Amino acid sequence: CEKDVLIDILTQRCNSQRLMIAEAYRDMYGRDLITDLKDNLSHHFKEVMVGLMYPPASYDAHELWHALKGADTEEKCLIDILASRSNMEIFQMKEAYLMQYNNDLQQDIDSETSGHFRDTLMNLAQGTRMEGYADPSTAAQDAMILWEACQRKTGEHKNMLQMILCNKSYQQLWMVFQEFQNISGQDIVDAINECYDGYFQELLVAIVLCVRDKPSYFAYRLYNAIHDFGFHNKTVIRILIARSEIDLMNIRRRYKERYGKSLFHDIKHFASGHYESALLAICAGDAEDY
């Protein structure tokens, strides 16, 4: 079957090899491979095959554009991408967004979201997080600011909360979270969940979880998408493609450790046909993980 061949070729190559295939395809046939995939495939299988053909930054830009400009804003997509990407990934994503859609990502976030959720997304989209820097002498001070922000919940305190979570380095935040526990006797995720709600709360928690362990965060998101939302296809596809050459092996490991069944097993249980085959090919690994 041609679809089986397509799955084999596109899932067994890295992204740079797929881009070379697309270039050779254009040279040989004078046609655009992505356009032909869109015209000849359908449903979720098409989304997977087309998604694999984008460079990582272009894929993030594509997902953000549809999350912002679709019929309904997909806040969880915005959270997954912007809470987890490095400064360099955000810079490349913004460049790709501008090139592909002739729009400024931050302007679109500003116009399509609102409140402190918007402010936090805008901060993350600047890509100005400190990197590799940690100052133990200020960790307790930052932790106290976070604790007060959870107690008082004024607009000013929410701003300070998001400024610390969006701009301090991961190394610094590790120490801040430990100090927060010492000061309050409470884990910061529990405190945020108690004090805030809505997408603002979800975004803050996502940032904390990504600081602690990105593979665990994405394992949680995949489990959530598969089991709590009756297999939320867009989320499963997006995470598998976006993380396939970054940390998918670690995500699979965390998934098995945390939930008892492998990601491979759960996809096999809920998906079907060539769509299932494509997803399984992306997340395939050692036989004992199945």
Side-chain angles (χ1 to χ4, degrees):
C1 172
E2 292 88 347
K3 286 181 181 174
D4 292 326
V5 174
L6 195 58
I7 292 168
D8 284 344
I9 291 173
L10 296 188
T11 63
Q12 303 310 308
R13 307 293 190 279
C14 68
N15 187 260
S16 59
Q17 290 172 323
R18 290 193 290 269
L19 296 180
M20 288 168 66
I21 289 169
E23 200 174 313
Y25 187 89
R26 188 180 295 108
D27 291 344
M28 291 172 72
Y29 304 111
R31 300 177 66 86
D32 180 68
L33 180 53
I34 289 181
T35 302
D36 281 356
L37 290 172
K38 286 178 178 176
D39 289 346
N40 290 285
L41 303 176
S42 60
H43 305 304
H44 301 306
F45 179 61
K46 173 172 76 173
E47 290 174 45
V48 178
M49 294 293 102
V50 170
L52 287 169
M53 295 308 303
Y54 285 99
S58 296
Y59 185 66
D60 278 349
H62 171 269
E63 292 297 291
L64 289 170
W65 169 262
H66 288 283
L68 288 163
K69 297 297 185 179
D72 296 307
T73 304
E74 291 178 49
E75 287 87 355
K76 288 180 187 291
C77 173
L78 304 179
I79 291 169
D80 281 349
I81 293 175
L82 290 168
S84 66
R85 302 309 195 250
S86 68
N87 289 347
M88 180 57 74
E89 287 169 334
I90 287 169
F91 173 76
Q92 292 171 341
M93 169 204 311
K94 287 195 292 189
E95 292 278 294
Y97 193 93
L98 185 62
M99 192 180 301
Q100 286 163 223
Y101 305 109
N102 201 29
N103 276 46
D104 181 84
L105 175 60
Q106 284 165 282
Q107 285 179 9
D108 283 352
I109 291 170
D110 189 37
S111 64
E112 300 294 338
T113 59
S114 61
H116 290 283
F117 177 62
R118 175 192 61 204
D119 296 343
T120 310
L121 290 175
M122 293 281 282
N123 198 329
L124 290 168
Q126 288 173 13
T128 53
R129 183 182 297 284
M130 296 178 79
E131 293 182 332
Y133 175 81
D135 180 5
S137 66
T138 63
Q141 184 184 340
D142 288 340
M144 184 61 77
I145 292 170
L146 293 183
W147 187 71
E148 285 181 4
C150 287
Q151 300 307 303
R152 299 188 187 176
K153 297 182 276 191
T154 67
E156 184 186 353
H157 283 93
K158 287 178 183 177
N159 287 338
M160 290 192 292
L161 175 65
Q162 61 102 347
M163 287 293 286
I164 289 173
L165 292 181
C166 295
N167 294 291
K168 301 285 182 174
S169 71
Y170 276 23
Q171 293 87 337
Q172 180 75 10
L173 288 173
W174 265 92
M175 292 189 292
V176 171
F177 298 158
Q178 186 57 55
E179 290 291 345
F180 186 95
Q181 179 90 40
N182 296 341
I183 291 166
S184 67
Q186 191 176 29
D187 184 80
I188 187 161
V189 170
D190 294 333
I192 290 169
N193 284 334
E194 269 183 30
C195 299
Y196 296 106
D197 56 18
Y199 291 118
F200 178 58
Q201 169 249 324
E202 287 188 40
L203 178 54
L204 297 179
V205 168
I207 295 168
V208 173
L209 296 179
C210 285
V211 168
R212 286 179 166 163
D213 186 40
K214 279 182 196 175
S216 289
Y217 171 72
F218 284 114
Y220 153 73
R221 288 288 293 127
L222 281 167
Y223 186 84
N224 203 243
I226 292 170
H227 291 274
D228 295 350
F229 293 98
F231 208 89
H232 194 267
N233 295 285
K234 278 188 176 180
T235 303
V236 174
I237 293 168
R238 182 180 67 249
I239 294 174
L240 289 184
I241 290 176
R243 309 310 293 183
S244 61
E245 292 179 40
I246 300 174
D247 53 5
L248 188 54
M249 292 288 283
N250 288 334
I251 292 168
R252 284 176 37 223
R253 198 172 296 120
R254 298 286 194 282
Y255 193 99
K256 182 85 175 281
E257 290 165 2
R258 188 163 179 176
Y259 304 112
K261 295 227 169 78
S262 70
L263 179 58
F264 194 94
H265 169 278
D266 282 354
I267 289 172
K268 203 169 178 58
H269 185 74
F270 286 98
S272 61
H274 288 101
Y275 173 48
E276 175 201 337
S277 301
L279 293 180
L280 294 179
I282 294 169
C283 86
D286 301 327
E288 60 265 25
D289 287 340
Y290 299 175

